[in-house]
């Protein structure tokens, strides 16, 4: 799906490729049905791609991306009200991550190891498969 999004962004037709994802592997995504997922990253394109991928996998999920440099009412509400909250810590401001930690317990924060959409998705996937 990430490749599909990239081809769409480039305006290029993607060759037909058979999906390697089995329904057995993707059952854990159903845990996100009707859930709210918050993503904090300053790499806005990665956040948008990750949000689009999640929505493609789970259309009933609400995905909100925040890229503010510090605390705000929107970030506070997102931190407090999300069922899952991912921080792309390589692409985050210290002030914002501290603010998030003030409004969400540490064990309820998922940290993406990289800056890109695939890192955000992988970190969420790791939480869902536990």
């Amino acid at each position: 799906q990430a490749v599909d999004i990239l081809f769409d962004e480039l305006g290029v037709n993607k060759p037909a490729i058979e999906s390697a994802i089995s329904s057995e592997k993707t059952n854990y995504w159903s845990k996100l049905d009707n859930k709210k997922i918050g993503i904090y990253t300053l790499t806005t394109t990665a956040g948008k791609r990750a949000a689009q991928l999640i929505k493609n996998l789970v259309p009933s999920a609400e995905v909100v991306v925040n890229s503010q440099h510090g605390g705000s009412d929107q970030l506070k509400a997102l931190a407090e009200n999300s069922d899952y909250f991912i921080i792309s810590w390589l692409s985050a401001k210290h002030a914002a991550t501290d603010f998030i930690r003030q409004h969400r317990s540490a064990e309820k924060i998922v940290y993406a190891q990289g800056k890109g959409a695939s890192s955000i998705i992988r970190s969420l996937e790791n939480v869902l498969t536990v």
Side-chain angles (χ1 to χ4, degrees), residues 30-97:
S30 65
K31 294 178 183 179
L32 297 179
D33 280 334
N34 301 307
K35 300 291 185 188
K36 183 173 185 175
I37 298 98
I39 299 171
Y40 178 78
T41 179
L42 292 179
T43 309
T44 56
T45 54
K48 287 177 185 177
R49 279 191 194 119
Q52 187 174 357
L53 283 166
I54 295 166
K55 288 294 289 177
N56 289 349
L57 290 165
V58 189
S60 67
E62 178 185 357
V63 187
V64 180
V65 180
N66 188 292
S67 299
Q68 297 171 332
H69 290 268
S72 68
D73 290 340
Q74 294 90 357
L75 186 55
K76 178 182 177 185
L78 187 61
E80 291 177 342
N81 300 318
S82 294
D83 296 294
Y84 296 90
F85 195 93
I86 302 114
I87 296 176
S88 180
W89 68 275
L90 288 177
S91 180
K93 286 285 187 188
H94 186 66
T97 56

Side-chain angles (χ1 to χ4, degrees), residues 14-41:
K14 183 181 80 85
I17 300 172
E18 192 173 319
S19 176
I21 300 173
S22 73
S23 60
E24 185 179 303
K25 285 186 174 183
T26 58
N27 283 341
Y28 52 79
W29 290 107
S30 65
K31 294 178 183 179
L32 297 179
D33 280 334
N34 301 307
K35 300 291 185 188
K36 183 173 185 175
I37 298 98
I39 299 171
Y40 178 78
T41 179

